[in-house]
Amino acid sequence: MGDAKIEALVICTSAVPQIKKWSLVKVLMGKLLRRAGGRPEFHFPAGGTPEEVDYYGTLAQVDAAKKAGVGHIVLVSSMGGTDRTNFLNTIARQPSGVGGDILVWKRKSEKYIAASGVPYTIIHPGGLIDEPGGKRHIVAGINDDLIKRPVRNIPRDDVAAVCVQALLSPGARNRAFDIITDPVGEGAPTSDWPAFFGKIAGLAAYDYSIDPGEPPAAFPNGLPKK
């Protein structure tokens, strides 16, 4: 990170699955023949699994930030980390059990940040959508309670706004919380950020004792040195 003073770090990195094109053919043929064709299948590119990106990659960023004297880390993670059976954890999971569990690996990195000693804010957005921000009421919660709602998405722009405002709000420090938005027109768009983070400060502490279990590791001793 060089010699410049870095006051804060926002971590938005995430493993990104890629679709297996041949699996689309299987799905389309199933539809043409009016048979169950299954779902599309995915894989993570080499070096881009959740274990490598969402766990070890995040740990490397946190360690570098701590060494550089960064005063605040904001992590964009994901809702669903309390539930090992969440569908997202099955994406690209290999027969051996490794390769998937993206939400579980994210949660492991969150625990590392919370124990790092660096002031932190951990944000768990719901499903990300590409719609304009600043037009919806942002709802906050903890421990995946918001997953029970029938609609649980949030524009990417609104997640970015929460990240920026978290850097400016003392009430956001050492907090982990979930966020979604109400549909446009339901509730006033969130703009009073001191009030928003005041509500966050009034929530119970996020419960990291809810344990989804240990994910199978392809690199139990850490990533190989390059």
Side-chain angles (χ1 to χ4, degrees), residues 1 6 8-9 11 59-73 118:
M1 290 191 176
I6 300 173
L9 171 68
I11 302 175
L59 266 56
Q61 293 178 78
V62 173
D63 290 345
K66 190 172 182 178
K67 184 177 180 181
V70 167
H72 189 185
I73 296 175
V118 180

Short mmCIF file of all heavy atoms in Angstrom, two decimals, residues 1 6 8-9 11 59-73 118:
data_model
loop_
_atom_site.label_atom_id
_atom_site.label_comp_id
_atom_site.label_asym_id
_atom_site.label_seq_id
_atom_site.Cartn_x
_atom_site.Cartn_y
_atom_site.Cartn_z
N MET A 1 0.81 -1.21 0.00
CA MET A 1 0.00 0.00 0.00
C MET A 1 0.85 1.26 0.00
O MET A 1 0.35 2.37 0.06
CB MET A 1 -0.94 -0.02 1.20
CG MET A 1 -2.06 -1.05 1.10
SD MET A 1 -3.31 -0.83 2.38
CE MET A 1 -4.48 -2.08 1.89
N ILE A 6 -3.43 5.74 4.44
CA ILE A 6 -4.73 5.27 3.95
C ILE A 6 -5.67 5.20 5.14
O ILE A 6 -5.43 4.47 6.11
CB ILE A 6 -4.60 3.89 3.28
CG1 ILE A 6 -3.63 3.97 2.10
CG2 ILE A 6 -5.96 3.39 2.82
CD1 ILE A 6 -3.31 2.65 1.48
N ALA A 8 -9.07 4.45 5.10
CA ALA A 8 -10.14 3.45 5.07
C ALA A 8 -9.97 2.53 3.87
O ALA A 8 -9.33 2.89 2.87
CB ALA A 8 -11.50 4.12 5.04
N LEU A 9 -10.56 1.36 3.97
CA LEU A 9 -10.55 0.38 2.88
C LEU A 9 -11.96 -0.16 2.72
O LEU A 9 -12.58 -0.59 3.69
CB LEU A 9 -9.58 -0.77 3.19
CG LEU A 9 -9.63 -1.97 2.24
CD1 LEU A 9 -9.13 -1.58 0.85
CD2 LEU A 9 -8.80 -3.13 2.80
N ILE A 11 -13.90 -3.12 0.79
CA ILE A 11 -13.67 -4.39 0.09
C ILE A 11 -14.97 -4.82 -0.58
O ILE A 11 -15.97 -5.09 0.09
CB ILE A 11 -13.19 -5.49 1.05
CG1 ILE A 11 -11.89 -5.06 1.76
CG2 ILE A 11 -12.97 -6.80 0.31
CD1 ILE A 11 -11.42 -6.04 2.82
N LEU A 59 -8.71 -11.96 3.40
CA LEU A 59 -7.74 -11.96 4.50
C LEU A 59 -6.48 -11.19 4.12
O LEU A 59 -5.93 -10.44 4.94
CB LEU A 59 -7.39 -13.39 4.90
CG LEU A 59 -8.19 -14.01 6.06
CD1 LEU A 59 -9.68 -13.98 5.79
CD2 LEU A 59 -7.73 -15.43 6.34
N ALA A 60 -6.03 -11.37 2.89
CA ALA A 60 -4.83 -10.66 2.44
C ALA A 60 -5.04 -9.15 2.45
O ALA A 60 -4.15 -8.38 2.84
CB ALA A 60 -4.44 -11.13 1.03
N GLN A 61 -6.22 -8.71 2.04
CA GLN A 61 -6.52 -7.28 2.05
C GLN A 61 -6.60 -6.74 3.48
O GLN A 61 -6.10 -5.65 3.77
CB GLN A 61 -7.84 -7.01 1.32
CG GLN A 61 -7.78 -7.30 -0.17
CD GLN A 61 -9.12 -7.07 -0.84
OE1 GLN A 61 -9.49 -5.92 -1.12
NE2 GLN A 61 -9.85 -8.14 -1.12
N VAL A 62 -7.20 -7.51 4.36
CA VAL A 62 -7.31 -7.09 5.77
C VAL A 62 -5.93 -7.01 6.41
O VAL A 62 -5.60 -6.04 7.11
CB VAL A 62 -8.22 -8.05 6.55
CG1 VAL A 62 -8.20 -7.73 8.05
CG2 VAL A 62 -9.65 -7.98 6.02
N ASP A 63 -5.10 -8.00 6.15
CA ASP A 63 -3.75 -8.00 6.74
C ASP A 63 -2.94 -6.81 6.23
O ASP A 63 -2.21 -6.16 7.00
CB ASP A 63 -3.03 -9.31 6.41
CG ASP A 63 -3.62 -10.51 7.15
OD1 ASP A 63 -4.38 -10.29 8.11
OD2 ASP A 63 -3.32 -11.65 6.74
N ALA A 64 -3.06 -6.52 4.93
CA ALA A 64 -2.33 -5.38 4.36
C ALA A 64 -2.86 -4.06 4.94
O ALA A 64 -2.08 -3.14 5.22
CB ALA A 64 -2.47 -5.38 2.84
N ALA A 65 -4.18 -3.99 5.12
CA ALA A 65 -4.76 -2.77 5.69
C ALA A 65 -4.30 -2.56 7.13
O ALA A 65 -3.97 -1.44 7.53
CB ALA A 65 -6.29 -2.86 5.63
N LYS A 66 -4.26 -3.64 7.89
CA LYS A 66 -3.83 -3.54 9.28
C LYS A 66 -2.37 -3.11 9.36
O LYS A 66 -1.99 -2.25 10.17
CB LYS A 66 -4.03 -4.88 9.98
CG LYS A 66 -3.83 -4.85 11.48
CD LYS A 66 -4.26 -6.17 12.12
CE LYS A 66 -4.11 -6.11 13.63
NZ LYS A 66 -4.56 -7.38 14.27
N LYS A 67 -1.54 -3.66 8.48
CA LYS A 67 -0.12 -3.30 8.45
C LYS A 67 0.06 -1.84 8.09
O LYS A 67 0.99 -1.17 8.58
CB LYS A 67 0.61 -4.20 7.46
CG LYS A 67 2.11 -3.98 7.41
CD LYS A 67 2.77 -4.96 6.44
CE LYS A 67 4.27 -4.74 6.38
NZ LYS A 67 4.92 -5.69 5.42
N ALA A 68 -0.82 -1.32 7.21
CA ALA A 68 -0.72 0.06 6.76
C ALA A 68 -1.35 1.06 7.74
O ALA A 68 -1.30 2.26 7.49
CB ALA A 68 -1.36 0.20 5.39
N GLY A 69 -1.96 0.54 8.80
CA GLY A 69 -2.57 1.43 9.77
C GLY A 69 -3.92 1.99 9.36
O GLY A 69 -4.33 3.06 9.82
N VAL A 70 -4.62 1.27 8.49
CA VAL A 70 -5.95 1.72 8.06
C VAL A 70 -6.89 1.79 9.26
O VAL A 70 -6.90 0.89 10.10
CB VAL A 70 -6.50 0.76 6.99
CG1 VAL A 70 -7.98 1.00 6.73
CG2 VAL A 70 -5.72 0.91 5.70
N GLY A 71 -7.69 2.83 9.31
CA GLY A 71 -8.52 3.06 10.48
C GLY A 71 -9.93 2.52 10.40
O GLY A 71 -10.66 2.53 11.40
N HIS A 72 -10.35 2.04 9.22
CA HIS A 72 -11.73 1.55 9.08
C HIS A 72 -11.81 0.67 7.84
O HIS A 72 -11.35 1.05 6.76
CB HIS A 72 -12.69 2.74 8.94
CG HIS A 72 -14.15 2.39 9.00
ND1 HIS A 72 -15.14 3.33 8.78
CD2 HIS A 72 -14.79 1.23 9.25
CE1 HIS A 72 -16.32 2.77 8.91
NE2 HIS A 72 -16.13 1.48 9.18
N ILE A 73 -12.38 -0.52 7.99
CA ILE A 73 -12.60 -1.44 6.88
C ILE A 73 -14.10 -1.61 6.69
O ILE A 73 -14.82 -1.93 7.63
CB ILE A 73 -11.96 -2.82 7.12
CG1 ILE A 73 -10.43 -2.69 7.20
CG2 ILE A 73 -12.34 -3.79 6.01
CD1 ILE A 73 -9.74 -4.00 7.56
N VAL A 118 -9.25 -3.97 13.82
CA VAL A 118 -9.46 -2.78 13.01
C VAL A 118 -10.95 -2.44 13.03
O VAL A 118 -11.78 -3.34 12.81
CB VAL A 118 -9.00 -3.00 11.56
CG1 VAL A 118 -9.24 -1.75 10.72
CG2 VAL A 118 -7.54 -3.42 11.52
#
